[in-house]
Amino acid sequence: SSGINAESKISMYKVAPVYDDISLPDKEDGMWVQDLEARQDKCLSELELFQQRLNKIEADCCGVKAAENTSKFDLVVGCSVGSPAVYMTAIMARKVNCLIKVFSHSTNTKQVDSSITNKLLRVNKGETDYCGINLIYKDTSSPYFMACPGRQVAVSGLSNILRFIARERKYSSLYDEQDLLNAALIDEILSVVDSLERVNVSASEIGTILNTLASYLKSSSYLAGDALSIADIALCCHLTAMDSKLIPNSLRTYLSDTVKGNYEMKVLKAFLNWTPAGLVV
C-alpha cells in the first residue's frame, strides 16, 4: 500500500547473490524493488496460467469419465426391411451385450430375409440371457426408436437413435458431449450421413455424398478423428446396406479397417454380401 516506505518493501524480499562477485543495487534506491515486484508479479501470473493449462491437460487425459451404464437395456427400433438400422441393432446389441428379437408389423409389405433374421438372433446367443432390443419391420421411410413404448413419442432418424444410445449408456468414447468441438464435428458428419436416408436418392447423389464423407478420412483413420464414433457406426451401417457397386474404393478400405479394428463392429462381417479387401468373412 502507499503507506509502506521503500525500506519496509526491501525487508519483504530476501535476495541472496548467486556469485560473490555480483553486487546488488543500493537498497536505498527504491527503483530496483519496484522492478523486482513487477518481475515477481509476472512470474506468478505466468505460473497461474501454466497451472490452468496443466489442470486442463490432466482433466482431458486423466480425468475420471462417467461410468458406463451397465443396467439392462430396453429399446424398440422400427424400420423398413433392408434399412441400415437393422445392422445398427446388431452393433449396439454386441456393444451392450444383449439379445435381439425380430418382429414384422402388419404394415410391412416387403419380404423379410430369413438369413438376416437368423444372424440377428444369433448375436450374443449363449453369452447373455436377456433381450435388450426389439426390432420391428414396418412400412416406414425413416427408422425410429422408442425407449419407453406407450409412454414416449417415437423419435426418427438413425443418428438420433445412436445419440440416444450413447447418452443413455454413457458411451463417451463414441460421443462425448463434453468435448464440444469433437461433438460438433460428429453432428456435422451425421447430418451428411442422414442425407443418405432421403427417399429416391439418385446414384449420382449417393456418389457425391459418399465422396464428401470420404474427405473426412484424409487426415484420420475415422470420420471424426483417431477413434471410433457414432458417426462411423452410422456410415458403416449404410455401407453394409448399400449396393457395393456404389461404394468408392477408399470407403471399402475404411469399412474393412473399421470392422477389423473394433470389437462391436466385427458383427458386420456376417451381414456383408461382399468381401472388402483384407477382410475374411
Side-chain angles (χ1 to χ4, degrees):
S1 65
S2 58
I4 301 178
N5 56 33
E7 187 68 24
S8 300
K9 288 185 177 180
I10 293 173
S11 66
M12 295 169 62
Y13 300 91
K14 297 192 180 297
V15 181
V18 178
Y19 300 105
D20 291 339
D21 59 347
I22 296 179
S23 59
L24 292 171
D26 187 349
K27 68 178 183 178
E28 297 295 330
D29 183 2
M31 294 300 295
W32 77 274
V33 178
Q34 295 178 11
D35 180 61
L36 187 60
E37 288 180 317
R39 282 187 284 139
Q40 184 189 50
D41 290 340
K42 181 180 179 182
C43 288
L44 291 174
S45 177
E46 291 176 346
L47 183 61
E48 176 63 24
L49 289 174
F50 176 79
Q51 185 63 55
Q52 291 175 4
R53 292 171 184 166
L54 182 61
N55 291 341
K56 185 178 186 303
I57 292 173
E58 289 179 342
D60 291 343
C61 299
C62 310
V64 178
K65 297 286 187 180
E68 293 183 356
N69 183 0
T70 57
S71 63
K72 286 192 174 182
F73 196 49
D74 186 10
L75 190 73
V76 173
V77 175
C79 67
S80 61
V81 172
S83 167
V86 173
Y87 310 107
M88 182 276 299
T89 62
I91 294 171
M92 299 318 298
R94 175 60 59 87
K95 177 74 173 174
V96 174
N97 192 27
C98 69
L99 300 175
I100 304 171
K101 288 185 179 179
V102 182
F103 303 89
S104 182
H105 193 268
S106 59
T107 61
N108 176 46
T109 57
K110 296 181 180 178
Q111 183 175 355
V112 177
D113 189 330
S114 59
S115 65
I116 290 181
T117 299
N118 290 334
K119 291 172 184 177
L120 290 170
L121 296 177
R122 285 201 296 267
V123 174
N124 296 325
K125 193 170 183 63
E127 298 178 20
T128 185
D129 59 357
Y130 89 95
C131 172
I133 300 178
N134 290 284
L135 175 63
I136 305 175
Y137 288 124
K138 295 186 69 174
D139 182 15
T140 178
S141 59
S142 179
Y144 69 88
F145 80 93
M146 297 180 71
C148 301
R151 292 178 291 162
Q152 175 195 356
V153 176
V155 178
S156 298
L158 182 64
S159 60
N160 287 325
I161 300 174
L162 288 168
R163 284 191 190 92
F164 169 80
I165 295 174
R167 290 165 177 157
E168 194 272 342
R169 294 281 100 181
K170 295 183 174 61
Y171 291 152
S172 58
S173 62
L174 296 177
Y175 186 60
D176 185 2
E177 292 182 294
Q178 300 302 313
D179 187 341
L180 299 180
L181 289 177
N182 188 251
L185 178 58
I186 292 173
D187 289 338
E188 174 185 286
I189 296 169
L190 285 172
S191 69
V192 180
V193 177
D194 285 345
S195 60
L196 291 169
E197 294 184 18
R198 298 199 315 265
V199 179
N200 298 325
V201 183
S202 67
S204 61
E205 288 177 311
I206 291 175
T208 299
I209 295 168
L210 293 180
N211 287 331
T212 299
L213 291 166
S215 68
Y216 288 96
L217 299 168
K218 290 181 179 179
S219 59
S220 60
S221 301
Y222 297 95
L223 291 172
D226 295 320
L228 183 77
S229 73
I230 58 174
D232 297 291
I233 295 175
L235 177 56
C236 287
C237 290
H238 275 279
L239 295 178
T240 302
M242 192 176 292
D243 183 346
S244 61
K245 296 177 183 178
L246 299 174
I247 304 174
N249 289 332
S250 60
L251 289 183
R252 286 170 175 260
T253 302
Y254 155 77
L255 176 60
S256 175
D257 292 342
T258 302
V259 170
K260 288 189 297 183
N262 299 275
Y263 170 74
E264 60 268 66
M265 301 300 289
K266 291 178 187 282
V267 73
L268 288 182
K269 291 193 296 183
F271 298 96
L272 289 169
N273 57 8
W274 55 280
T275 304
L279 181 62
V280 178
V281 179

